[in-house]
């Protein structure tokens, strides 16, 4: 009887170990991306780690001046989920290192497509974002991790971190759209707005400062409804910010949700132009 109990305990432990091992196995749809970024002379080296299926193609980019790709590399993930990239160093100022696993810019082999979907629609987890799509029934996704390299950082080794998203608003996706701005800062060159909305992930939000109409800046809504908008700094005697959401230039699933001409939008912040409805929200501001 004692021997039988010992065997039962051993069996349970083995089963539990196998279950735990399978949770983090390579190829899980809940994607993990990470690793280390090393600045070495005139090069930037990425020692990447992931749980992506072996043979998955990832793209690394070094971005300066907001959207200028200074250097780029592509590699295949090995059997342990690892990959290594080397790119040219930007040398001066801040820069952003981005590693992406996608199905639009990257050519993925058939077994990778079978695992994650034709447009990555099976991808899950905090590293996953909705990607460009122009058909409502094919919502593409990508996995991505970002790291900002600060010019005043004395360390030459940096680690990617998992994004920490908040809970989505209870009325996420509702056609009565709202904006809230939690923080506005400036560095004398740019304004930085941190806000929240109930718009769908990937919705394009534009904004401008005071009387700077016609010179708008844009950003996309994050998976949790937060957004970050950067605008050129200027002084105004009548300071305020204008945030806008228009059905035009939106991905197809977003246009279907709010109407191709914004006809499903409701509320007291509606802007009507001809047969089109959009959202316009004024955010009051005071210079410090």
């Amino acid at each position: 009887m004692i021997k039988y109990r010992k065997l039962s305990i051993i069996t349970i432990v083995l089963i539990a170990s196998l279950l735990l091992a399978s949770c983090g196995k390579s190829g899980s749809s809940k994607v993990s991306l990470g690793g280390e970024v090393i600045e070495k002379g005139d090069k930037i080296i990425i020692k990447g780690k992931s749980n992506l299926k072996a043979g998955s193609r990832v793209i690394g980019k070094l971005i300066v001046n907001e959207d200028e790709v200074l250097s780029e590399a592509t590699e295949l993930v090995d059997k342990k989920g690892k990959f290594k990239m080397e790119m040219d160093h930007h040398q001066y100022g801040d820069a952003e290192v981005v590693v992406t696993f996608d199905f639009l810019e990257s050519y993925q082999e058939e077994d990778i497509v079978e695992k994650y979907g034709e447009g990555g629609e099976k991808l899950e987890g905090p590293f996953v974002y909705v990607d460009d799509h122009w058909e409502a029934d094919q919502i593409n996704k990508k996995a991505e991790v970002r790291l900002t390299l600060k010019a005043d950082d004395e360390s030459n080794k940096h680690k990617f971190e998992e994004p920490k998203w908040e809970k989505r608003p209870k009325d996420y996706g509702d056609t009565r759209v709202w904006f809230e701005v939690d923080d506005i800062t400036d560095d004398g060159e740019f304004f930085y707005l941190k806000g929240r909305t109930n718009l769908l992930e990937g919705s394009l939000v534009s904004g401008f400062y005071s009387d700077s109409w016609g010179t708008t800046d844009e950003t996309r809504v994050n998976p949790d409804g937060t957004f970050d908008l950067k605008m050129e700094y200027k002084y105004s005697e009548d300071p305020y910010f204008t945030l806008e959401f228009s059905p035009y230039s939106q991905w197809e699933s977003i246009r279907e949700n709010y109407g191709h001409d914004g006809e499903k939008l409701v509320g007291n912040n509606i802007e009507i132009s001809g047969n089109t409805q959009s959202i316009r929200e004024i955010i009051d501001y005071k210079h410090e």
Side-chain angles (χ1 to χ4, degrees), residues 9 14 36 84 116 133 155 180 186 188 194 262 279 283:
I9 291 170
L14 284 171
E36 188 177 42
K84 186 177 180 180
Y116 300 108
H133 61 280
S155 175
E180 290 184 8
D186 75 81
K194 289 185 176 293
I279 299 294
I283 308 297

Side-chain angles (χ1 to χ4, degrees), residues 168-269:
R168 283 176 171 174
K170 291 182 179 179
D171 59 348
Y172 173 78
D174 196 284
T175 56
R176 189 179 298 274
V177 175
W178 52 264
F179 292 104
E180 290 184 8
V181 174
D182 301 314
D183 188 41
I184 301 174
T185 58
D186 75 81
D187 57 8
E189 188 176 359
F190 293 98
F191 287 111
Y192 303 90
L193 279 68
K194 289 185 176 293
R196 292 174 287 132
T197 178
N198 62 342
L199 284 168
L200 292 174
E201 177 191 353
S203 295
L204 195 63
V205 175
S206 60
F208 59 90
Y209 177 63
S210 294
D211 56 355
S212 301
W213 191 88
T215 57
T216 59
D217 293 278
E218 295 180 331
T219 190
R220 290 200 183 275
V221 175
N222 292 319
D224 59 354
T226 60
F227 63 88
D228 297 278
L229 189 56
K230 180 179 177 182
M231 300 182 191
E232 187 175 354
Y233 178 87
K234 63 177 287 189
Y235 183 81
S236 173
E237 293 293 340
D238 182 23
Y240 63 91
F241 294 92
T242 302
L243 299 179
E244 292 186 324
F245 169 73
S246 168
Y248 294 116
S249 301
Q250 304 288 346
W251 296 331
E252 188 60 24
S253 63
I254 295 170
R255 295 194 71 186
E256 276 211 353
N257 189 75
Y258 300 106
H260 281 67
D261 294 312
E263 65 271 15
K264 297 180 183 179
L265 294 169
V266 295
N268 58 5
N269 54 359

Side-chain angles (χ1 to χ4, degrees), residues 8-286:
S8 298
I9 291 170
I10 292 169
T11 303
I12 291 169
V13 171
L14 284 171
I15 292 171
S17 299
L18 288 170
L19 287 171
L20 285 171
S22 65
C23 290
K25 68 180 181 180
S26 174
S28 170
S29 293
K30 188 173 182 180
V31 172
S32 175
L33 273 176
E36 188 177 42
V37 176
I38 302 169
E39 299 178 76
K40 190 174 181 180
D42 60 352
K43 298 294 180 184
I44 287 177
I45 300 166
I46 301 174
K47 294 183 177 180
K49 295 180 181 180
S50 77
N51 65 342
L52 290 168
K53 184 178 174 64
S56 296
R57 183 176 294 276
V58 289
I59 293 177
K61 293 180 181 179
L62 181 68
I63 299 173
V64 296
N65 301 326
E66 294 190 58
D67 57 3
E68 179 188 345
V69 179
L70 181 67
S71 186
E72 187 173 350
T74 180
E75 292 292 342
L76 299 179
V77 172
D78 66 19
K79 292 180 180 179
K80 293 183 178 180
K82 296 181 179 181
F83 56 92
K84 186 177 180 180
M85 296 176 177
E86 188 174 290
M87 297 184 291
D88 293 334
H89 197 289
H90 56 292
Q91 298 300 324
Y92 303 102
D94 297 344
E96 189 172 34
V97 179
V98 183
V99 176
T100 306
F101 170 62
D102 75 340
F103 293 77
L104 298 181
E105 287 191 54
S106 305
Y107 176 80
Q108 304 292 349
E109 294 288 350
E110 187 176 341
D111 62 324
I112 307 301
V113 173
E114 185 177 343
K115 173 66 184 176
Y116 300 108
E118 288 187 11
E121 64 273 12
K122 297 179 184 179
L123 293 171
E124 300 174 352
F127 294 94
V128 176
Y129 301 80
V130 175
D131 205 357
D132 291 3
H133 61 280
W134 305 106
E135 294 182 15
D137 58 351
Q138 175 62 59
I139 299 179
N140 302 320
K141 294 181 181 180
K142 64 181 178 181
E144 191 167 85
V145 65
R146 292 174 172 265
L147 172 68
T148 300
L149 299 176
K150 292 287 188 180
D152 57 359
D153 190 342
E154 295 181 359
S155 175
N156 64 347
K157 290 186 178 181
H158 321 271
K159 285 188 177 181
F160 286 115
E161 293 184 1
E162 178 181 314
K164 303 298 182 185
W165 302 120
E166 300 175 8
K167 286 186 177 181
R168 283 176 171 174
K170 291 182 179 179
D171 59 348
Y172 173 78
D174 196 284
T175 56
R176 189 179 298 274
V177 175
W178 52 264
F179 292 104
E180 290 184 8
V181 174
D182 301 314
D183 188 41
I184 301 174
T185 58
D186 75 81
D187 57 8
E189 188 176 359
F190 293 98
F191 287 111
Y192 303 90
L193 279 68
K194 289 185 176 293
R196 292 174 287 132
T197 178
N198 62 342
L199 284 168
L200 292 174
E201 177 191 353
S203 295
L204 195 63
V205 175
S206 60
F208 59 90
Y209 177 63
S210 294
D211 56 355
S212 301
W213 191 88
T215 57
T216 59
D217 293 278
E218 295 180 331
T219 190
R220 290 200 183 275
V221 175
N222 292 319
D224 59 354
T226 60
F227 63 88
D228 297 278
L229 189 56
K230 180 179 177 182
M231 300 182 191
E232 187 175 354
Y233 178 87
K234 63 177 287 189
Y235 183 81
S236 173
E237 293 293 340
D238 182 23
Y240 63 91
F241 294 92
T242 302
L243 299 179
E244 292 186 324
F245 169 73
S246 168
Y248 294 116
S249 301
Q250 304 288 346
W251 296 331
E252 188 60 24
S253 63
I254 295 170
R255 295 194 71 186
E256 276 211 353
N257 189 75
Y258 300 106
H260 281 67
D261 294 312
E263 65 271 15
K264 297 180 183 179
L265 294 169
V266 295
N268 58 5
N269 54 359
I270 297 291
E271 187 80 10
I272 300 175
S273 177
N275 296 322
T276 302
Q277 290 194 143
S278 58
I279 299 294
R280 178 173 288 192
E281 192 81 36
I282 303 298
I283 308 297
D284 294 327
Y285 178 69
K286 289 184 179 180

